[in-house]
Amino acid sequence: MYSIGEFSKITGLSVKTLRFYHEQGVLKPTCVDDQTGYRYYDAAKIETARVIRALRELEVPLNGVAEILKNHEDEGDVLVFLERHRQAIEQKLRQLTAIRTSLDRIILQQREARVAMQNATFQVQEKVVDSQVIAGVRMKGRYSECGKGFSQVGRRLGRYINGKPLLLIYDTEYKEEDADFEACMPVSRETSAEGISVRRIEGGRCVSLVHQGPYEELGRSYQKILDYVKRKGYRLRSPCREVYLKGPGMIFKGNPKKYLTEIQMLIEE
Amino acid sequence: MYSIGEFSKITGLSVKTLRFYHEQGVLKPTCVDDQTGYRYYDAAKIETARVIRALRELEVPLNGVAEILKNHEDEGDVLVFLERHRQAIEQKLRQLTAIRTSLDRIILQQREARVAMQNATFQVQEKVVDSQVIAGVRMKGRYSECGKGFSQVGRRLGRYINGKPLLLIYDTEYKEEDADFEACMPVSRETSAEGISVRRIEGGRCVSLVHQGPYEELGRSYQKILDYVKRKGYRLRSPCREVYLKGPGMIFKGNPKKYLTEIQMLIEE
DNA sequence: TTGCTCCTCACGTCACGTGAGGTGGC
DNA sequence: TTGCTCCTCACGTCACGTGAGGTGGC
């Protein structure tokens, strides 16, 4: 017979835990001294304790452990139980994996936003953009509605997104009410999904300007870039693009004054 | 201004949760009527509630949420925080993945044990065993010590195990004290590990008998199989094998009367 | 006497949910 | 008056851990 302290050392369960298991009826001492209240455990209880530890290490809840210990005669019951438990674990795993994916996305976004901030000159520049595969939803209405398009793409093709959201603007003049645009996400795969157009868009030489500030103030930057185009005498290829380098985050809307948006206008060579 | 019920519908947070968040100081109502104690929230709080929900959905603990809300000015701090949180999630994921792996192993073992039980005839049979890759630890001593060898292999090559543990017995006579044997696990890869011999062992025709009962009673089955071998005039190829079809499980030791052990003796053709 | 082991009882953790009992205004 | 919304307070969940205060035997 072992005292609770001895039994604790043997089994690796803390004294507090052993008392708790007694209280819960999961692991009862072999006998209790009714004078002192001391708990005593015999050698056979060591095996029970081992079983409990094994099950707890598998994160089987205590009442499950109790149940298994009660009718562990039928090994089939245990198997069914373990399969159910496996399902529960699997469920948690899926949930946590989804969380990790979201966190990765958020962290990456933040990092990229920083890099974009460091690299931005806020001057009109000429550069070459690569051709890329995008998934887009064509919309008509107000620009402020574009979020719906982005989230539609995100829901369907979330796991394939590998770049910043961009807007293709098909109007050649600014329209408030009935604008014609496409909310796009660069994706790694040419998967198809209903209501979403997945395709490759061309690259090429373009005039680019990074705009800092709220979207309502984009007009100023458009003016700057168009002045430049006119000065150079370039001819533009529609559609114009807005790339959202840094916008409202998934957690914080953030400060609109810090939003970064790159306007890209492809030019004919 | 919204009452708590209205605000609950808007934000998707339960009334109880909103009261709890108030108590915790995470999301305070804009004002509280000191006559009735009614809580009122203004529209700006909706955004805060959204942030809290987003963070809670990422399983950020409430005190973390509170901390982020307090000094969310510096986005860098949030990034560091999110990275730490990602680490925590990753940790949990690893833990749960390990649990799932264990559960799978246990469930598979149980299933295989059932199949073995159904197929066993408990008669001496002749059959052909395949050549297989095993990882083994050669030992000298008592057979009851073999568990150490198995667990040594399990610890080092656990993820590559793809079959039932088996013992190779190099003695040609039964030895109690100073037996010479090798605890082996079939593995899917010829990886090497110190102190463990990973190699391919031969297959071939063999005489086989499934023994049901505790290991101490294996002698009876050895007698049966050796009688058969003698009757047939076969010549044996050393080492003899014991395959543990059903033994003490990872959770329960189980009933030794139900243990199944296959004795295999390869014969020369 | 000191040190050690054991005891019980109450409270804390975590993020809420449940339920009782009561109020105030339409 | 009934129904609705709101309130507070206390307790439950889960598997223990912490700490206070006390006991009994060497």
Side-chain angles (χ1 to χ4, degrees):
Chain A
M1 295 286 257
Y2 305 105
S3 72
I4 197 169
E6 291 161 351
F7 195 68
S8 164
K9 275 168 201 145
I10 292 167
T11 59
L13 295 166
S14 79
V15 170
K16 294 280 183 185
T17 300
L18 288 171
R19 285 204 269 258
F20 179 68
Y21 286 171
H22 180 192
E23 188 192 325
Q24 298 294 308
V26 182
L27 178 56
K28 292 174 191 157
T30 313
C31 68
V32 179
D33 186 319
D34 51 3
Q35 294 299 311
T36 62
Y38 278 31
R39 294 164 176 87
Y40 293 100
Y41 299 83
D42 65 19
K45 295 289 181 183
I46 296 173
E47 177 54 22
T48 314
R50 205 192 53 72
V51 171
I52 296 173
R53 280 201 60 169
L55 289 169
R56 287 294 303 137
E57 273 159 22
L58 294 171
E59 296 198 358
V60 174
L62 253 200
N63 56 5
V65 173
E67 206 181 305
I68 288 177
L69 287 177
K70 262 177 211 156
N71 38 22
H72 78 292
E73 307 297 333
D74 192 335
E75 292 218 345
D77 281 5
V78 179
L79 193 58
V80 169
F81 192 98
L82 290 178
E83 276 163 351
R84 270 211 305 274
H85 183 57
R86 201 212 110 103
Q87 292 284 83
I89 295 289
E90 187 70 37
Q91 176 67 18
K92 267 270 162 130
L93 268 171
R94 270 198 295 273
Q95 200 181 327
L96 287 182
T97 305
I99 287 174
R100 182 179 56 184
T101 306
S102 292
L103 281 169
D104 283 347
R105 196 134 53 196
I106 292 167
I107 290 169
L108 186 66
Q109 244 178 46
Q110 294 263 9
R111 287 216 186 109
E112 283 176 351
R114 269 190 201 187
V115 171
M117 191 62 189
Q118 278 162 6
N119 294 345
T121 61
F122 305 109
Q123 302 294 318
V124 178
Q125 289 185 310
E126 294 188 27
K127 65 180 200 181
V128 175
V129 293
D130 290 336
S131 154
Q132 56 186 332
V133 178
I134 54 99
V137 177
R138 188 83 174 245
M139 304 172 76
K140 279 195 187 264
R142 291 167 169 278
Y143 287 116
S144 54
E145 301 287 294
C146 70
K148 288 179 191 168
F150 289 124
S151 56
Q152 190 181 336
V153 176
R155 273 196 306 276
R156 303 298 293 274
L157 299 166
R159 51 192 164 284
Y160 306 125
I161 292 170
N162 64 350
K164 295 281 157 201
L166 73 156
L167 204 68
L168 300 181
I169 295 158
Y170 293 97
D171 299 311
T172 46
E173 55 181 335
Y174 179 72
K175 289 191 180 173
E176 186 93 40
E177 299 284 341
D178 197 36
D180 179 8
F181 55 91
E182 188 173 7
C184 306
M185 291 286 197
V187 288
S188 55
R189 271 205 197 188
E190 290 211 38
T191 330
S192 67
E194 56 165 315
I196 299 175
S197 155
V198 183
R199 64 186 192 280
R200 180 168 280 280
I201 58 172
E202 295 168 45
R205 262 167 62 78
C206 75
V207 178
S208 146
L209 173 59
V210 174
H211 166 87
Q212 180 170 29
Y215 301 129
E216 296 79 46
E217 294 173 9
L218 269 169
R220 263 191 356 229
S221 291
Y222 268 104
Q223 190 186 343
K224 254 172 107 176
I225 200 169
L226 286 171
D227 282 354
Y228 179 93
V229 167
K230 195 168 287 177
R231 244 189 354 263
K232 290 281 187 168
Y234 292 143
R235 284 204 300 161
L236 298 177
R237 288 158 60 195
S238 183
C240 165
R241 301 177 185 179
E242 285 178 11
V243 183
Y244 302 104
L245 301 177
K246 182 176 182 182
M250 291 199 240
I251 300 178
F252 292 109
K253 273 199 322 192
N255 186 344
K257 285 185 184 166
K258 292 189 175 174
Y259 289 176
L260 296 180
T261 311
E262 183 182 357
I263 302 169
Q264 290 177 351
M265 292 181 167
L266 274 81
I267 55 184
E268 291 193 7
E269 310 217 36
Chain B
M1 296 284 256
Y2 305 106
S3 71
I4 197 168
E6 290 162 351
F7 195 68
S8 164
K9 275 168 203 145
I10 292 167
T11 60
L13 295 166
S14 78
V15 170
K16 296 278 181 183
T17 299
L18 288 171
R19 286 204 268 257
F20 179 67
Y21 286 170
H22 180 193
E23 187 192 324
Q24 298 294 308
V26 182
L27 178 57
K28 292 175 192 156
T30 313
C31 68
V32 178
D33 186 320
D34 51 3
Q35 293 300 312
T36 62
Y38 278 32
R39 295 163 176 86
Y40 294 100
Y41 298 83
D42 66 18
K45 295 288 180 183
I46 296 173
E47 177 53 21
T48 313
R50 205 192 52 72
V51 171
I52 296 173
R53 280 201 60 170
L55 290 169
R56 287 294 303 138
E57 272 159 23
L58 294 171
E59 296 197 359
V60 174
L62 253 198
N63 56 5
V65 173
E67 205 181 305
I68 288 177
L69 287 177
K70 260 177 212 156
N71 38 21
H72 79 290
E73 308 297 333
D74 191 337
E75 291 219 344
D77 282 4
V78 179
L79 194 56
V80 168
F81 191 98
L82 290 178
E83 275 163 352
R84 268 210 307 276
H85 182 58
R86 202 212 110 105
Q87 292 284 82
I89 295 289
E90 188 70 38
Q91 176 68 17
K92 268 268 163 131
L93 268 171
R94 270 197 295 272
Q95 200 182 326
L96 286 182
T97 305
I99 287 174
R100 182 179 56 184
T101 307
S102 292
L103 282 170
D104 283 347
R105 197 134 53 197
I106 292 166
I107 290 169
L108 187 66
Q109 243 178 45
Q110 294 261 11
R111 288 217 184 110
E112 283 176 350
R114 270 191 200 186
V115 171
M117 190 63 188
Q118 279 164 4
N119 294 345
T121 61
F122 305 109
Q123 302 293 320
V124 179
Q125 289 185 309
E126 294 188 26
K127 65 180 202 182
V128 175
V129 292
D130 289 336
S131 154
Q132 55 185 334
V133 178
I134 55 98
V137 177
R138 187 83 173 245
M139 304 171 78
K140 277 194 188 268
R142 293 168 168 277
Y143 287 117
S144 54
E145 302 287 293
C146 71
K148 288 177 191 170
F150 289 123
S151 57
Q152 192 181 334
V153 177
R155 273 196 306 276
R156 302 298 295 273
L157 298 167
R159 51 191 162 285
Y160 305 126
I161 292 170
N162 65 349
K164 294 282 156 200
L166 73 157
L167 204 68
L168 300 181
I169 296 158
Y170 293 96
D171 299 310
T172 46
E173 54 180 340
Y174 179 71
K175 287 190 180 175
E176 185 92 41
E177 298 283 340
D178 197 37
D180 179 9
F181 55 90
E182 188 173 5
C184 305
M185 290 287 198
V187 289
S188 55
R189 271 206 197 188
E190 291 211 38
T191 329
S192 68
E194 57 166 316
I196 298 175
S197 156
V198 183
R199 65 186 192 281
R200 180 169 282 278
I201 57 173
E202 297 167 43
R205 261 166 64 78
C206 75
V207 178
S208 144
L209 173 60
V210 174
H211 166 86
Q212 179 170 30
Y215 300 129
E216 297 80 43
E217 294 173 8
L218 269 169
R220 264 192 355 230
S221 291
Y222 268 103
Q223 191 186 343
K224 253 173 106 178
I225 199 170
L226 286 171
D227 282 353
Y228 179 93
V229 166
K230 195 168 287 176
R231 241 184 2 258
K232 289 282 187 169
Y234 291 143
R235 285 204 302 161
L236 299 177
R237 287 159 59 195
S238 183
C240 165
R241 301 177 184 178
E242 285 178 11
V243 183
Y244 302 104
L245 300 176
K246 182 175 179 181
M250 291 198 243
I251 299 177
F252 291 108
K253 274 200 320 191
N255 186 345
K257 287 186 185 165
K258 291 189 176 174
Y259 289 177
L260 296 180
T261 311
E262 183 182 359
I263 303 168
Q264 290 177 352
M265 292 181 167
L266 275 80
I267 55 184
E268 290 193 6
E269 311 218 35

